[in-house]
Amino acid sequence: NVDNDELSHSMSRPDDNNSGITHCCKLHPTKKIEAFCEKDYKLLCIDCILSDRHKNHEIVSIAKASEKHCTYLRQQ
């Protein structure tokens, strides 16, 4: 049984043959993933970022989140 909240903030990859890969929000399939919510550990599109669900949460870029969490994981 999959948690609906988990599905709503995961990402999908459109089926196309372009060399550039775009990851899209499953809750908002026409929107690409833009950021990461540090509180909820969720990937967010612009619509998710602007929603009340992540209001007053620390939202960071994908690059910053990746750097921060990779550093942490390497120290474990």
Side-chain angles (χ1 to χ4, degrees), residues 27-66:
L27 185 59
H28 308 103
T30 62
K31 306 290 183 174
K32 69 178 186 169
I33 296 298
E34 302 280 353
F36 182 77
C37 177
E38 288 284 334
K39 180 177 180 187
D40 296 329
Y41 279 74
K42 302 285 184 183
L43 294 167
L44 309 173
C45 72
I46 189 65
D47 288 350
C48 291
I49 293 166
L50 297 173
S51 74
D52 287 340
R53 172 167 284 210
H54 299 283
K55 193 173 189 174
N56 300 319
H57 293 183
E58 184 177 353
I59 307 296
V60 298
S61 70
I62 299 294
K64 184 175 179 180
S66 175

